[in-house]
Amino acid sequence: MDLLRHKDIGFLLCLAVVLLVAFSPIGHRLDNTLFDLWPFEQAESNSDIIVVEIDNKSLSALGRWPWERHLHAEMILLLDQAEANQIGYNVAFVEPDTSPNSEDHLLLTAIRNSGNVVLPVFAEDGKTIMPFRNNTVPEGARLGHVDVEVDSDGYVRRAFLYAGIDKARWPSFGLATAGNLETLGQEGRLPGTRSPEAHMGTKRKWTRDREVLMPAFTGPIGIQRYSFIDVLESHIDHELFRGKDIFVGIQATGLEPKFLTPGTQYPEMYSGTSLAAGLHMSLKSQHILTPILPIWGLTYALVILILGYAAVFLTGYPLLIRAPIVLTLIGTLSIPAFAIHFGYWLPTGPAAAAIIAMATLYFLKTLFFNDTRKRSDAITDLSNAKMFKETLEIEWEQCLTKRIPVSVILIEVDYFKRFVDTFGQERGNWVLARIGPILQSHKRKTRDLVARYEHEKFAVLLPITPNNVALSIAEKMRAEVEQLDIEHSGSESSDVITLSIGVATSTRTMESKEDLIEQAKAALAHAKQSGGNNVVQAEPETA
């Protein structure tokens, strides 16, 4: 846990987490999760959109699929007579009817007379499949692609407004039914992230352009739905269709794939037609988002990491410096919400990883230092008096049980109060912090303990150490501190900072650890009375 002491190492750890998330599938999954959890303003039910479903009820009434094409011609004629605004007829009339009683002419006539019909186009084996296998669009019709983008977790969140073989020329089915396409976007511009592939010549490759995200799909699609057979047999008032955008498509089980959308407590499987209608509704109500490129999500995460780390971990900085950092961080955290307000989605997975990494590191750091603070001194980073006494208790028991010596060294900075009065408390703390590492450097084994005992006093516990070794260690400590050459004009021992040291070692006649401490204190008092800057061992008759 020593790495928690170093802010630069902690920052590098957080940076590594951000980069790992940004350049791995984890980032995409995390961003999808945040998108699903974001409290989007839901698009209200749109009474101008109706879905006519080819459902199980319709199949029971009209027979097995595929139906005779005069039925589709009748539906288009009916909707046209009802003055429907747009008719999205999501049924793939792939092959022409070459039978003697072909009804293709009926269907084509109905489409031509309506002039407002959108038919599906898709790709197969690198080729564009258009209605009736023609190379031209049927008169009176427009084409829309029905490609559905499914994320790696099986949910549909995004769509591409344009797609096609080699060139993304076909609008999506939901976009094609919107009429005047260029009026949908703000200031006459369509939403969606442009794809480089859309402008490159590729060989027989399905390319997509203008990627959008659909927050309206995070709840049930509030669109009116009617059964095909009920509409065809006039069980539904045809006045309902006047001026409406109508989507006709397959809903019956087993005929076409269905898709999951996130956000509902009990996920519902939606047909491709329902998804197209939902996209159409999102476009018209402008409840749709343009995803910003991932590189900007990474950039945003790095900014959050730098500001967050500065605000949280650099607590020693003056308030006048930290306050602007905190305010800038708060403003930066609000950027995703502003982006959504203006119709954009900023990838926030890496930024979330940065926040989680910093929070985790800060939590561990807090636990570590709370635990350390109970056992260590904040100024010198040595063990404190409580830790010294607890360790002495353990080592004293070992001394009695195994009959091994234990030595204690008590150390005091000579005339330290005069130094503080002259140079100030901050300079005094600096001196103590300089002395601590020197004392610590003379530990010979892990059981040795160096502690700050009192204000200007230190204590060294040396288990399994005879008196002569303890004296040698104490003398080295005294000499090295004197060599620091820290000016101390108020000292009567020297013109630099020096130490007075008392050394005591356990004997068979000692009754308790308190006796050992008292002898070390007596030796320290003797060292001070002798003028300081020396080492004194406990008197033999008392040791």
Side-chain angles (χ1 to χ4, degrees), residues 307-308 310-311 317-332:
L307 292 175
Y317 277 55
L319 181 61
L320 288 178
I321 295 178
R322 292 183 63 224
I325 293 175
V326 172
L327 292 176
T328 304
L329 175 62
I330 294 173
T332 305

Side-chain angles (χ1 to χ4, degrees), residues 7-18:
K7 296 181 177 66
D8 52 347
I9 295 179
F11 178 82
L12 292 176
L13 283 174
C14 293
L15 178 61
V17 170
V18 170

Side-chain angles (χ1 to χ4, degrees), residues 13 40 43 86 102 123 131 135 176 186 238 269 311 457 468 485 498 508 521:
L13 283 174
F40 289 108
Q86 300 287 332
S102 174
N135 294 324
Q186 295 180 354
H238 293 173
M269 300 290 287
K457 291 181 181 179
N468 62 324
D485 202 25
T498 57
R508 294 182 180 180
K521 288 182 177 179

Side-chain angles (χ1 to χ4, degrees), residues 18 44 103 112 137 145 151 163 175 210 279 286 289 328 332 338 378 385 406 413 455 502 516 537:
V18 170
E44 298 180 359
E103 297 176 343
R112 182 176 62 254
V137 180
H145 78 80
D151 283 330
L175 177 61
R210 292 198 179 273
L279 175 60
Q286 295 189 355
L289 299 176
T328 304
T332 305
F338 279 104
V406 59
V413 181
H455 183 55
L516 179 62
Q537 73 174 56

Side-chain angles (χ1 to χ4, degrees), residues 200-221:
M200 298 171 59
T202 55
K203 295 182 179 180
R204 299 182 180 278
K205 182 179 179 181
W206 183 257
T207 59
R208 298 176 294 188
D209 193 19
R210 292 198 179 273
E211 178 185 2
V212 295
L213 290 164
M214 302 170 290
F217 283 3
T218 57
I221 300 176

Side-chain angles (χ1 to χ4, degrees), residues 97-175:
D97 185 358
T98 57
S99 65
N101 298 320
S102 174
E103 297 176 343
D104 279 357
H105 67 285
L106 297 176
L107 180 55
L108 290 171
T109 300
I111 293 172
R112 182 176 62 254
N113 291 340
S114 172
N116 288 319
V117 177
V118 177
L119 298 175
V121 62
F122 53 94
E124 185 178 87
D125 297 329
K127 297 180 180 179
T128 301
I129 306 301
M130 299 176 66
F132 308 104
R133 296 281 179 178
N134 286 335
N135 294 324
T136 58
V137 180
E139 186 180 354
R142 299 188 304 279
L143 301 185
H145 78 80
V146 289
D147 182 31
V148 177
E149 173 69 10
V150 181
D151 283 330
S152 58
D153 59 359
Y155 288 94
V156 175
R157 300 178 180 87
R158 65 196 73 238
F160 290 87
L161 297 186
Y162 282 89
I165 294 293
D166 293 338
K167 182 180 179 181
R169 59 174 298 195
W170 305 112
S172 69
F173 200 82
L175 177 61

Side-chain angles (χ1 to χ4, degrees), residues 28 47 64 167 222 234 325 350 379:
H28 184 67
S47 59
R64 295 178 58 185
K167 182 180 179 181
S234 300
I325 293 175
I379 295 175

Side-chain angles (χ1 to χ4, degrees), residues 386-398:
K386 180 181 179 181
M387 185 64 179
F388 177 82
K389 293 174 182 178
E390 292 175 355
T391 307
L392 178 60
E393 178 81 32
I394 296 171
E395 295 298 345
W396 183 257
E397 292 297 326
Q398 293 289 320

